[in-house]
Structure formats: C-alpha cells, structure tokens
Amino acid sequence: MNFLNAAPATETQLETQTVLYPTLQQLVRLLPCDQKRVVDYVREEAKHNPFLIEDATLSEKSETLLEDVLPDWYTLPAQYVSLSEHLFGQISALSIPSRQREALIYLTQWISRSGYLEETSTVWANGSIWNARELEAVVPILQSLDPPGIAARSGQECLLLQLKEKSQSLAFLLVHGYLEELANCTGASIEANSNREILLQKLIQNQAYHNIDIKKLSDAIQEIQELEPRPARNFGHDNAPIVTPDLKAELTASGWQIFLTSEVEQRFCLNSEAVELLQKSQLRTRNTQQLEALFKRAKSLLTALHLWQENLLKVGQFLVERQQAFLQSRDRLDLVTTPQQLVAQSVGLSNSTISRIVRGRYMLISNPYQIFPLHLLCVPAQVGGRTPPQIQQMLVQLIEEESPANPYSDEQLAQLLRVRFDLPITRRTVTKYRKIAAIESSHKRRRLDDSRGNGQ
C-alpha cells in the first residue's frame, strides 16, 4: 500500500491560531486595571524603555524623594499595617458570595479608630446598594475576624466577643449580667473588696452559679481586665479611600455625561530625542534592532493606553444614559436590566472586554457625591424581566406590611408578588431571594415577635 498516496480519513484542516498584536496584547493587560495600576505599569515600562517618558509637567509635582529632604541620620518609622488592610486580607479569603464580601468591605468604613462599629443599619444602608437587613446579616461575619472584639456596637459586646469561646466561664457570665457592678470591684481598696463580697453574695443567690468563692471571682475579674476594650488600638490608620473611581458621572444641561477622573494618557509620551537619534542612525546592528523593537513597543503601549481610556468612556457613557432614572433617585428599584451582552452589542466591544472593564471598577456620581461599583449598573434580567435588587425590594416591602403575629409564608409571598406586581414567580424562587436578602423564614419571624412580646 502506498501510504504517500493514501487519502486521509478526514480532510486535513489548517490549524488557525489567534494572534494578539502588540497593541491588543497591551490593551488586554490594561483593561482590568484601575488608573493607579495603569500608571504604575506604564512607569515600570518606562524604566526599561528609552522611548517612553512621563511628562513631568502633568505628573504629580508634589512628589519628592524623602532622601532629598531628610538628614542622613534620620530613620523612617516603621509602617504599621492599617486596620483596613488587615481586615481586607481576611475578607478576601472568606468563602462567601461576592455580594456579602463587598458588603463587609463597605461596612469597614463605619468602624471607628477604636474598633467599634458605629451608627445603625439604617444609616449604613442609606445611599448604598444594600438594604439594612443585608448589612445587619453580615455583621457577625465581620465580628468573627481578627482582632477579637472588632466591630462591636458597645463595650459590653466587645468583651463578650473576646470571650465567646468561653461562653460558660464565670468571666463571660459576669460581663453579660454584672458589668456595671464590676466597675466598682477592681483594685485593692477596702471599698473594692467590700463590693466584691457583695457581688459574690449576689452570685451565690443566683442558682446558675455554683461553687463560687472570692478567689474564683477575683480571677474572673482579672481575666476581664486583661481583655482589650479598644480592639483597633495596635493598628495604624490612614485616610485613604477604600476604592478610587476611574469614572465620574455628572448631570449637565444636555443630560448625564461621563468623564475620566484622571487623564492618564496625557501623562506619558514618546521621547522625541530618542526617536530622532534612532531615525538618524545609519547602522543596522543588533543594538539598533533592539532599539527599534523598544520603539514599536512604546508606540503600541501608548496606543493601548488611548484605547483603554476610550473604551472606559464608551462603556461608562452607555451605562449612565441607560440608568438615568437610578442616577437621579439612587433607588435600586429604578435600575433597568442591562446585561453585559447588551452593553457589548451596543458599544461594539466583545463580552470579555466588557467584563474586564466592569469588574472591580468604580464610578463617582455627583449631586450628591457617591461611589458605586460599575457592575451595579450592569444588572442581569431575572424573573419577569425584573432585577434581583427589585425582587428583593418587593419582598422587603411585603414583609414590612405583614402582621407580626401572622407573617407571610413563602407561598403567600409568591402569590402576592404575582397579584400585586405581576411577577410570575415560584415559591422556590421566593425562598432563594428571601435568603439573599437575609430575611428569616415566617416561622422564625413569628418566633422573634413572640419573644419580643414576652420581654425575653
């Protein structure tokens, strides 16, 4: 048999391979980055490319090397890890839904310098993308992080959080039920000793406490005194914002317009002197070829930087024009379903490009000023063409109207959503969105009401 002339079983197909041109390669690398990371990346490239320079007149003129202004004998103090950095590292490692993770990061801005969680859930939720129930539901997760006692709402809760692994200990029971009396029992004075004896008699009369003597009481008080009343004491604090928005939306006479918060492209340019020297060179050496490659790389990077800004503005402008009602009211019920596929088709970019632009990017909205994640405006369509926040908001509205003594079951909620909001939804889907909104079941809501009524 002549194998050379044998016909193959299947036709030979030429294998095609997608070639990413230099500019496209650079653009793919830049798209997921915010402006700070883009500037850092281009600066690093400029260190190794003589054809790429940063325009000193547009860069930060206030930047000064510490070595230029400090004496030789001065030693910089050690930089403490900030509380936010310490918490962010732990939050990023949690195996929880991304919405809960973002809520935890959002709540960290309400933690005081002492480590206490300030204000109420209603205040936290105001102007945010979460409702009060959602934010309240993630507080226990925040309180489970290091340092012990973080995000407590009171001094008592702070101490109890630090003793939660010893919930049956005398120290825990003292903080829970006798914290005010403990303040008068510390020290070695006659009055403190007398107050300890009085407290001991109270504890003996309480049948929940057994085999207690003055030594055990003193040891428990000593254990409580060794707890940290200010959990954030040993962490540095900075005033830097949690996120830096790349885009800014402003309401103008012609409607909502999108702008870049920083013109990154204008800060970098080609080194005209280096380009001129290369063009005058008559030699074709290996060094010249390497310089020509660096010149092409510099041009492709600047082109990619221009496309990075252009694509951000294009996507941002489409989203603000589509979500004008939400930008005016800041009410999540006014969000219009805008899946990323629709954005891609409308602005002429691929789905993957839209995903890179939207993910992890933020927008500053004026009047009043608020920062929102860009993906908030890319709302996927769910049941009946409604957005997930709209469905959750409807559930919250119905539950707020229900009788505390006879709360709605998930089946009843599904019927009400069908009748009142013309929303074709099943009981199972109601259960799903109820849990996402951190709303308890009807059985637990009734039980909570009963316990309040009994004063427990």
Side-chain angles (χ1 to χ4, degrees), residues 87-88 91 94 96-111 117 124-125 128-142 145 151 242 332 362 373 375 392 436 438:
L87 293 175
F88 291 172
I91 293 171
L94 294 174
I96 56 176
S98 59
R99 184 173 177 82
Q100 286 189 329
R101 183 177 291 106
E102 291 175 0
L104 286 171
I105 293 175
Y106 172 75
L107 278 183
T108 58
Q109 68 180 297
W110 297 97
I111 297 179
L117 191 57
W124 306 334
S128 78
I129 63 173
W130 298 274
N131 59 51
R133 289 175 182 265
E134 286 181 288
L135 294 174
E136 192 69 46
V138 299
V139 169
I141 302 177
L142 188 59
L145 303 179
I242 295 175
R332 292 186 299 163
Y362 292 81
H375 70 75
Q392 293 174 42
I436 292 175

Side-chain angles (χ1 to χ4, degrees), residues 41-64:
Y41 174 76
V42 181
R43 278 178 174 169
E44 189 64 27
E45 283 282 321
K47 291 180 182 179
H48 310 287
N49 194 324
F51 298 98
L52 189 62
I53 59 173
E54 183 173 5
D55 192 335
T57 60
L58 296 175
S59 62
E60 298 161 312
K61 298 180 181 180
S62 60
E63 289 186 358
T64 306

Side-chain angles (χ1 to χ4, degrees), residues 218-440:
S218 298
D219 290 344
I221 293 175
Q222 179 64 31
E223 181 180 358
I224 294 169
Q225 288 182 296
E226 292 174 357
L227 299 176
E228 177 55 76
R230 292 186 293 167
R233 182 201 302 268
N234 296 321
F235 291 89
H237 295 273
D238 53 46
N239 296 321
I242 295 175
V243 294
T244 302
D246 289 330
L247 298 170
K248 179 172 64 173
E250 291 185 355
L251 183 59
T252 65
S254 57
W256 284 94
Q257 297 294 320
I258 200 75
F259 305 93
L260 292 167
T261 57
S262 176
E263 293 283 348
V264 178
E265 179 190 4
Q266 296 181 5
R267 296 176 59 169
F268 298 93
C269 61
L270 290 174
N271 185 340
S272 58
E273 294 182 5
V275 174
E276 185 178 357
L277 289 173
L278 178 63
Q279 292 174 343
K280 288 181 178 179
S281 176
Q282 301 297 325
L283 300 177
R284 298 295 299 174
T285 64
R286 178 175 297 180
N287 288 340
T288 305
Q289 293 174 353
Q290 292 176 346
L291 289 173
E292 288 177 345
L294 288 172
F295 176 48
K296 292 179 181 178
R297 182 176 178 85
K299 289 198 300 182
S300 66
L301 180 55
L302 291 176
T303 303
L305 194 58
H306 170 76
L307 293 174
W308 175 81
Q309 292 193 165
E310 185 180 75
N311 289 342
L312 258 63
L313 289 170
K314 190 185 299 183
V315 172
Q317 188 62 45
F318 174 79
L319 290 175
V320 297
E321 289 177 359
R322 186 166 176 84
Q323 303 290 9
Q324 291 188 48
F326 168 75
L327 297 179
Q328 288 287 117
S329 66
R330 311 295 166 91
D331 188 339
R332 292 186 299 163
L333 289 177
D334 290 330
L335 283 168
V336 179
T337 54
T338 310
Q340 292 186 14
Q341 294 87 341
L342 174 63
V343 182
Q345 294 170 4
S346 302
V347 301
L349 297 173
S350 66
N351 291 344
S352 59
T353 298
I354 299 300
S355 178
R356 290 187 178 98
I357 291 175
V358 170
R359 188 190 312 126
R361 203 174 305 279
Y362 292 81
M363 175 189 293
L364 175 66
I365 304 175
S366 63
N367 300 323
Y369 284 104
Q370 287 180 295
I371 296 177
F372 288 101
L374 201 58
H375 70 75
L376 171 69
L377 305 182
C378 295
V379 187
Q382 296 290 335
V383 181
R386 306 297 179 91
T387 65
Q390 289 173 339
I391 297 173
Q392 293 174 42
Q393 195 73 20
M394 293 173 189
L395 284 173
V396 171
Q397 180 179 336
L398 291 174
I399 289 173
E400 287 177 347
E401 297 172 358
E402 71 183 4
S403 168
N406 189 26
Y408 296 131
S409 66
D410 288 350
E411 181 60 42
Q412 290 173 319
L413 288 170
Q415 293 175 2
L416 287 170
L417 288 169
R418 287 193 289 266
V419 173
R420 291 182 53 178
F421 298 100
D422 193 24
L423 185 66
I425 192 169
T426 64
R427 178 197 59 79
R428 182 177 297 179
T429 306
V430 168
T431 303
K432 167 189 169 183
Y433 282 104
R434 176 177 58 75
K435 290 180 178 179
I436 292 175
I439 300 172
E440 298 284 6

